[in-house]
Amino acid sequence: MNILVYSTRNFEKHYLIKANKSKHSITFIKESLSPETVDKAKGYDVISLTPSDDASELTIEKLKEYGINYISLRCTGYDNVNISLASISGIQVANVPAYSPYAIAEFATSLLLAINRKLIISNERINQYNFNIDKLTGFDLNNKTIGIIGTGKIGAVMTKIMNGFGCNILGYDVNINQHLIDNFNMEYVSIKELCEKSDVISLHVPLNQSTKHLIDEKLLNKMKSNIIIINTARGAVINTKDVIKALENNQIAALGMDVYENEDGVFFKDLSDNIPNDEILKKLISMPNVLLCSHHAFLTEEALTNIAETTFYNIDCWSKNKETENQLTI
């Protein structure tokens, strides 16, 4: 197979080369896939994409025209790919359904601990030789109520971690995980009840029509004023403007995110010399009770290894005219 890897990041290149085992011809480029860069795919059999790539209708049509037969995603989410049009066009698409739920859940826990115990603010003071500890008070996680929205692989690991802290755990999902109920005292409730009772809410759902702006003004109004919201899922799962308003009005206490609703074209880039003209992003960055990271919850050695190996497993299957179980169809 002749493969073009879009959106190549320096940190992943070694893992991809290793997983390829010299089987296929690989070309790495830093540019993201878009209608403006789709012509770079000419002459290749496979393209590999990340969440920052645009494989919408116009792009898929061009890929078909250029003879691309396969799209191998280096991620779990695929809301940036028009799967139905790809299927109609004869382009097979596969993802990495699970690379390391531990990486994401542990990162979500890190965000929670850092926000709750004011670690960033404390460190900033220390850098100024200010050793005052006023306004650094947090709370014990033990015996607090944690709401887990989405109890799939990542949400399940988050449940286990929070259970280890001695938390009471509420869950919301379209699918009930009986193992979590039996072993970690998970109680499934409505999303309304979860929002009303939780001291912390952690989001672990995919982005789709039913989850876009799931956390909005209506649900925010039901939450405790001291609640912390953690989002390591997708940026658009929360309505960012509504959350900022709730933070400004002291309706909620704090927000920790590794994702951002309008992160395309911004995250994974050094824009220190070309600050984005995004007032919502600037507002989030300026708020002392917001901890925003640049979508790197997945960035562990284990996760990068699993992503690379599954990416090339999918490609190996296609090279043998076999379907992979990771194939996406709608």
Side-chain angles (χ1 to χ4, degrees), residues 42-145:
K42 290 180 180 178
Y44 291 91
D45 306 302
V46 185
I47 60 170
S48 180
L49 307 180
T50 71
S52 62
D53 292 295
D54 174 8
S56 54
E57 182 178 352
L58 179 59
T59 314
I60 292 291
E61 289 174 351
K62 286 292 185 180
L63 290 172
K64 178 59 179 176
E65 180 183 330
Y66 296 154
I68 298 297
N69 296 312
Y70 308 101
I71 298 175
S72 184
L73 301 176
R74 306 193 303 282
C75 54
T76 300
Y78 49 89
D79 50 278
N80 58 321
V81 182
N82 190 321
I83 301 294
S84 58
L85 182 58
S87 297
I88 293 170
S89 302
I91 300 174
Q92 297 182 57
V93 184
N95 71 340
V96 181
Y99 42 87
S100 177
Y102 303 98
I104 311 300
E106 289 172 9
F107 194 93
T109 305
S110 301
L111 284 175
L112 170 57
L113 293 172
I115 292 171
N116 176 34
R117 301 308 303 271
K118 315 294 192 296
L119 299 185
I120 306 301
I121 297 171
S122 178
N123 181 251
E124 288 174 348
R125 289 185 186 180
I126 293 295
N127 289 336
Q128 300 297 321
Y129 291 89
N130 177 359
F131 301 98
N132 189 309
I133 62 172
D134 286 344
K135 298 183 179 179
L136 297 183
T137 305
F139 56 78
D140 291 354
L141 284 179
N142 182 62
N143 210 35
K144 293 300 185 296
T145 299

Side-chain angles (χ1 to χ4, degrees), residues 24-293:
H24 308 283
S25 174
I26 315 175
T27 300
F28 296 100
I29 60 173
K30 292 185 177 182
E31 292 92 339
S32 298
L33 175 65
S34 68
E36 291 72 37
T37 62
V38 67
D39 61 316
K40 293 181 180 293
K42 290 180 180 178
Y44 291 91
D45 306 302
V46 185
I47 60 170
S48 180
L49 307 180
T50 71
S52 62
D53 292 295
D54 174 8
S56 54
E57 182 178 352
L58 179 59
T59 314
I60 292 291
E61 289 174 351
K62 286 292 185 180
L63 290 172
K64 178 59 179 176
E65 180 183 330
Y66 296 154
I68 298 297
N69 296 312
Y70 308 101
I71 298 175
S72 184
L73 301 176
R74 306 193 303 282
C75 54
T76 300
Y78 49 89
D79 50 278
N80 58 321
V81 182
N82 190 321
I83 301 294
S84 58
L85 182 58
S87 297
I88 293 170
S89 302
I91 300 174
Q92 297 182 57
V93 184
N95 71 340
V96 181
Y99 42 87
S100 177
Y102 303 98
I104 311 300
E106 289 172 9
F107 194 93
T109 305
S110 301
L111 284 175
L112 170 57
L113 293 172
I115 292 171
N116 176 34
R117 301 308 303 271
K118 315 294 192 296
L119 299 185
I120 306 301
I121 297 171
S122 178
N123 181 251
E124 288 174 348
R125 289 185 186 180
I126 293 295
N127 289 336
Q128 300 297 321
Y129 291 89
N130 177 359
F131 301 98
N132 189 309
I133 62 172
D134 286 344
K135 298 183 179 179
L136 297 183
T137 305
F139 56 78
D140 291 354
L141 284 179
N142 182 62
N143 210 35
K144 293 300 185 296
T145 299
I146 311 297
I148 309 290
I149 298 180
T151 59
K153 291 182 174 65
I154 298 170
V157 175
M158 189 66 176
T159 298
K160 296 174 186 177
I161 295 172
M162 292 298 102
N163 178 261
F165 276 100
C167 299
N168 306 307
I169 306 170
L170 301 179
Y172 173 76
D173 201 308
V174 293
N175 298 308
I176 303 299
N177 187 330
Q178 190 63 41
H179 177 76
L180 298 181
I181 296 173
D182 295 340
N183 295 278
F184 301 100
N185 299 316
M186 166 76 79
E187 179 186 357
Y188 281 92
V189 295
S190 69
I191 193 166
K192 174 178 176 290
E193 184 176 350
L194 184 147
C195 289
E196 290 173 342
K197 293 183 176 180
S198 295
D199 300 296
V200 174
I201 289 177
S202 192
L203 298 164
H204 303 286
V205 292
L207 178 62
N208 52 43
Q209 289 183 344
S210 63
T211 62
K212 183 175 182 180
H213 289 178
L214 178 67
I215 303 301
D216 59 5
E217 183 178 14
K218 183 178 179 181
L219 284 179
L220 288 164
N221 288 337
K222 298 182 183 301
M223 296 179 189
K224 298 180 180 180
S225 60
N226 63 343
I227 196 168
I228 295 174
I229 299 174
I230 303 296
N231 185 12
T232 53
R234 284 288 186 266
V237 171
I238 70 170
N239 185 316
T240 313
K241 291 181 179 179
D242 287 355
V243 172
I244 289 175
K245 182 180 177 182
L247 288 165
E248 289 177 326
N249 295 337
N250 297 316
Q251 289 176 275
I252 61 174
L255 172 68
M257 297 199 299
D258 184 50
V259 289
Y260 169 55
E261 189 170 1
N262 302 313
E263 69 182 56
D264 289 350
V266 177
F267 280 19
F268 305 112
K269 298 179 180 180
D270 181 356
L271 300 178
S272 54
D273 293 326
N274 185 25
I275 297 174
N277 186 25
D278 184 335
E279 296 305 318
I280 296 175
L281 179 59
K282 291 177 182 177
K283 181 64 177 179
L284 285 171
I285 292 171
S286 71
M287 300 183 82
N289 52 351
V290 173
L291 178 52
L292 178 62
C293 296

